[in-house]
Amino acid sequence: MTQQTEQLTQQTEQQTEQAPPRPDAPPAETGAAALELKPALEAVLMVVDEPATEEHLAKVLGRPRRAVADALRELADEYAQQRRGFELRLIAGGWRFYTRPEYAEAVESFVLDGQHARLTQAALETLAVIAYRQPVTRSRVSAVRGVNCDGVIRTLLQRGLVEEAGSEPETGAILYVTTNYFLERMGLRGLDELPELAPFLPEADQVEGESQEGVPSFDVDADADEGGERGGGSTTDH
C-alpha cells in the first residue's frame, strides 16, 4: 500500500510539472505594477513638475485608470482629514501636491529667508551653466555638471534668478533661462556682457556625440587655466 501511494504521488507531481499554464490565468505582476498603489502614487507625485493626469499615472504604474482615480481621491481625503500641511489637488486635468493655504505664512517666511542667504557652490555652478547655455533643459544642465540639479534649479527659480521659457520641441522638456533680476544682480545690461567663454566650450556637434544627454561634462576652471594648450578630451566636473 505504501509503495502504491508513493507511485501515485510521483505521477501526480510529474503531471503537475508537465501541465501547461492555464490560458486564463492572470500574469504575475512585475515592476511598478507590483508595488502598493497609494505609496507609489505619492512617490511619483513628489517629483512631478506639473499636474499629472490619471491616464499618465495609470500607464507608468501599470494599473487601471479607475483604480488610480479612486486611490488619488482617497489620498486627498486622508490628507484633509489628517489636516496635513499639504494637500493633493486636481488642477488643470492633473494631480499635484500643494501647500495648504492656511500655512502660507510659514512657506513665505521660509522662501524670503532663503533669498537673503548666499548661493551655494552648486547653485553658482548651475546658474553659470544656464546663463551660458540658455535656453537649456534640466537634463542638459545635469549632464554638464555630472550630478542631478533638480533641487538646485528649484532654488534658483525661488530666488527669481531663472525662469521657465517654454519647452524643447523634440522632447517636451522644460527650458530654463536667466531673468532680468539675474542681470540686475550681476550688474549687466544684457547677456552679451557675460564674460566670453566660447573658446573653452565644446561645439554643438561635439556635444551631441560625447554625451547620452546631449551635453558633455567639463570643468570650466580647468579649461580656462589650460586654454588651448590642451589637446582634446574634457574633464568631468563633480
Side-chain angles (χ1 to χ4, degrees), residues 13 49 55 63 92 184 189 211-212 226 229:
E13 291 177 349
D49 291 326
E55 292 81 359
R63 302 297 182 87
E184 178 184 337
R189 288 174 296 182
S211 170
Q212 292 181 350
E226 297 180 14
E229 298 179 359

Side-chain angles (χ1 to χ4, degrees), residues 169-228:
E170 297 82 2
T171 64
I174 297 175
L175 293 168
Y176 296 91
V177 298
T178 53
T179 62
N180 288 331
Y181 179 64
F182 163 79
L183 296 176
E184 178 184 337
R185 294 304 300 258
M186 294 292 293
L188 304 174
R189 288 174 296 182
L191 295 175
D192 56 341
E193 293 188 354
L194 284 170
E196 185 63 41
L197 284 183
F200 310 115
L201 299 180
E203 298 296 334
D205 54 350
Q206 291 179 293
V207 164
E208 296 299 332
E210 295 178 7
S211 170
Q212 292 181 350
E213 295 290 343
V215 178
S217 298
F218 64 92
D219 188 327
V220 174
D221 292 334
D223 286 349
D225 291 338
E226 297 180 14

Side-chain angles (χ1 to χ4, degrees), residues 59-191:
K59 178 181 178 181
V60 299
L61 296 178
R63 302 297 182 87
R65 179 182 176 280
R66 172 52 58 188
V68 169
D70 291 343
L72 288 167
R73 285 167 175 78
E74 290 175 7
L75 284 172
D77 291 341
E78 291 173 8
Y79 299 146
Q81 293 172 4
Q82 297 169 4
R83 299 185 61 82
R84 306 295 291 270
F86 59 90
E87 58 188 2
L88 184 57
R89 298 185 204 163
L90 176 60
I91 300 290
W95 293 84
R96 189 177 185 183
F97 285 122
Y98 295 87
T99 55
R100 201 170 291 280
E102 51 263 43
Y103 298 103
E105 291 186 2
V107 176
E108 180 180 1
S109 176
F110 175 80
V111 173
L112 292 179
D113 179 69
Q115 289 183 346
H116 298 295
R118 295 175 60 87
L119 288 176
T120 64
Q121 183 66 27
L124 290 171
E125 292 174 2
T126 301
L127 183 58
V129 174
I130 295 176
Y132 283 98
R133 289 289 189 182
Q134 61 184 307
V136 64
T137 64
R138 289 192 189 196
S139 63
R140 290 178 181 268
V141 174
S142 296
V144 170
R145 294 200 58 238
V147 294
N148 186 293
C149 297
D150 290 358
V152 179
I153 290 179
R154 280 194 293 270
T155 297
L156 296 176
L157 286 167
Q158 292 174 351
R159 300 285 190 93
L161 295 169
V162 302
E163 62 185 357
E164 297 179 1
S167 59
E168 193 174 48
E170 297 82 2
T171 64
I174 297 175
L175 293 168
Y176 296 91
V177 298
T178 53
T179 62
N180 288 331
Y181 179 64
F182 163 79
L183 296 176
E184 178 184 337
R185 294 304 300 258
M186 294 292 293
L188 304 174
R189 288 174 296 182
L191 295 175

